[in-house]
Amino acid sequence: MSDEYKILSNGVKIPIIGFGTYKLGSHEDSIEAVKEAIKIGYRHIDAAAFYNNEEAVGIGIKESKINREEIFLTTKLWNDNHGYEKTMKSFNESINRLGVEYLDLYLVHWPNKLNLETWRAFEDLYNQGKVKSIGVCNFKEGHIEDLKKSAKIIPMVNQIEIHPYRSQKNMISYCKENNIQVIAWGPIMRGKIFSDAVMLELADKYNRSVPQITLKWHIQNGVIPIPKSSNIERIKENLNIFDFEISYEDMKLIDQLNKNENVSSVPENTTYLEY
Ligand SMILES: NC(=O)c1ccc[n+]([C@@H]2O[C@H](COP(=O)([O-])OP(=O)(O)OC[C@H]3O[C@@H](n4cnc5c(N)ncnc54)[C@H](OP(=O)(O)O)[C@@H]3O)[C@@H](O)[C@H]2O)c1
């Protein structure tokens, strides 16, 4: 278990590793995975309306018997629900399905031509105390710069695809300059990184698995990974990374693996990606 956290630009604490919930399995399997993850020690759960399992995530949290206040809970607004009114409605539906009074983090799932209107709703939800922090996902610099022109609140988080084959160093630097915390989705590249020769060598050197080396690389880069697993042993394995350090030279070796490779394609109904 790790009780380490980062502090967002508004002072909110966010645990430095989270639990991903995309494709956890059946309703029952999803409840079980979330409950077990919390029992094992995760305190940061990454949900989304799109994953169609907010209800199961909420039950898993309740059944873990850990106080709601001790869990950092995120969910996301899906692409069909941009715009002020739709965002408000979609937010209420999400918290009802999750069975919670507030969110720790509400994220825009993908950029959209209605970003500015949507963001106004996010700011209102924040000012009303219904969400403790607000952010975006999959935003490029241009999207954030556009938002900054009219936003009263700068996003506290940008959740983007990062793994050794897509290390996103420029985006990480940009976010750092703007006091935006980066969260990595697809942090272990959905397994595609496991057969990489350099990663296998490092796993051998540190006597750890490739997922463990990869997750530690994220954390040492100041990025919060949110690995998903439906398997209890792998859920444990992914958290068991707080008793070793990757050397500076080996961090650089992993950095050199970048080839800007995506793990998945952009959803079809994402309409605003020209930046
Ligand atoms: N904002 C966005 O647009 C966005 C997009 C995608 C994902 N996300 C979020 O990010 C989370 C993580 O990303 P992801 O689920 O796409 O990919 P990921 O976490 O990189 O990889 C998950 C895959 O790796 C396997 N796995 C996990 N731990 C393992 C281990 N220790 N050894 C071997 N295999 C292991 C899992 O299988 P098993 O379950 O069988 O272990 C699963 O197939 C998601 O769940 C979601 O919460 C956000």
Side-chain angles (χ1 to χ4, degrees):
M1 164 160 184
S2 160
D3 50 10
E4 286 179 64
Y5 52 80
K6 293 233 161 221
I7 300 194
L8 300 178
S9 58
N10 62 341
V12 164
K13 290 177 178 177
I14 179 170
I16 60 170
I17 183 165
F19 182 66
T21 65
Y22 184 38
K23 295 192 173 168
L24 276 181
S26 69
H27 182 68
E28 288 70 27
D29 289 349
S30 304
I31 295 173
E32 200 54 25
V34 170
K35 185 168 73 181
E36 286 303 323
I38 294 171
K39 282 191 181 161
I40 287 163
Y42 290 81
R43 290 293 177 270
H44 169 178
I45 310 291
D46 183 79
F50 176 68
Y51 306 159
N52 228 356
N53 60 6
E54 286 177 309
E55 203 183 331
V57 169
I59 297 171
I61 291 174
K62 282 203 186 77
E63 289 191 357
S64 75
K65 306 275 187 242
I66 297 292
N67 286 339
R68 165 72 186 93
E69 299 72 42
E70 288 176 44
I71 310 273
F72 188 98
L73 177 61
T74 302
T75 198
K76 314 185 189 85
L77 175 87
W78 186 239
N79 303 345
D80 303 332
N81 289 318
H82 274 263
Y84 189 91
E85 295 303 332
K86 277 185 160 184
T87 297
M88 289 302 194
K89 182 167 179 284
S90 188
F91 167 79
N92 283 318
E93 288 167 354
S94 279
I95 59 167
N96 287 338
R97 281 191 295 263
L98 288 160
V100 296
E101 301 285 319
Y102 69 93
L103 293 176
D104 295 280
L105 175 61
Y106 197 33
L107 296 173
V108 177
H109 209 143
W110 285 91
N112 182 287
K113 54 182 188 292
L114 295 177
N115 276 349
L116 302 188
E117 249 196 81
T118 299
W119 193 249
R120 207 161 47 77
F122 269 57
E123 291 178 328
D124 284 354
L125 289 168
Y126 178 76
N127 288 327
Q128 291 161 13
K130 293 179 177 164
V131 297
K132 308 262 184 218
S133 48
I134 50 178
V136 295
C137 306
N138 304 305
F139 271 41
K140 299 185 178 170
E141 279 190 36
H143 299 121
I144 297 176
E145 287 301 313
D146 243 14
L147 205 60
K148 278 164 72 175
K149 287 178 199 153
S150 64
K152 296 189 183 74
I153 302 171
I154 305 299
M156 290 138 198
V157 161
N158 191 12
Q159 184 183 117
I160 52 178
E161 178 182 345
I162 308 182
H163 42 69
Y165 285 175
R166 191 172 182 205
S167 54
Q168 302 244 37
K169 290 290 178 191
N170 290 342
M171 191 61 193
I172 293 173
S173 300
Y174 169 82
C175 286
K176 206 169 185 184
E177 282 158 24
N178 285 276
N179 213 356
I180 298 171
Q181 175 63 48
V182 175
I183 296 180
W185 68 258
I188 51 173
M189 213 185 170
R190 299 182 180 163
K192 287 188 187 162
I193 192 74
F194 297 172
S195 51
D196 181 272
V198 171
M199 294 304 288
L200 283 165
E201 247 176 61
L202 291 174
D204 199 39
K205 174 172 173 183
Y206 289 90
N207 202 15
R208 296 286 164 155
S209 67
V210 174
Q212 288 175 321
I213 299 286
T214 311
L215 293 168
K216 192 66 187 223
W217 169 78
H218 284 289
I219 289 172
Q220 288 185 214
N221 273 331
V223 168
I224 297 178
I226 47 169
K228 169 266 170 186
S229 178
S230 307
N231 173 284
I232 293 183
E233 289 314 312
R234 294 195 280 276
I235 295 174
K236 273 189 201 151
E237 175 186 337
N238 293 344
L239 197 61
N240 185 16
I241 56 172
F242 293 99
D243 56 353
F244 76 105
E245 285 288 308
I246 304 172
S247 71
Y248 177 80
E249 292 72 26
D250 291 337
M251 287 291 289
K252 292 286 151 215
L253 270 184
I254 303 174
D255 288 344
Q256 283 163 16
L257 298 177
N258 181 47
K259 39 186 159 172
N260 296 325
E261 189 178 317
N262 289 7
V263 79
S264 75
S265 52
V266 167
E268 271 171 26
N269 55 351
T270 306
T271 55
Y272 185 53
L273 286 167
E274 55 266 32
Y275 284 107

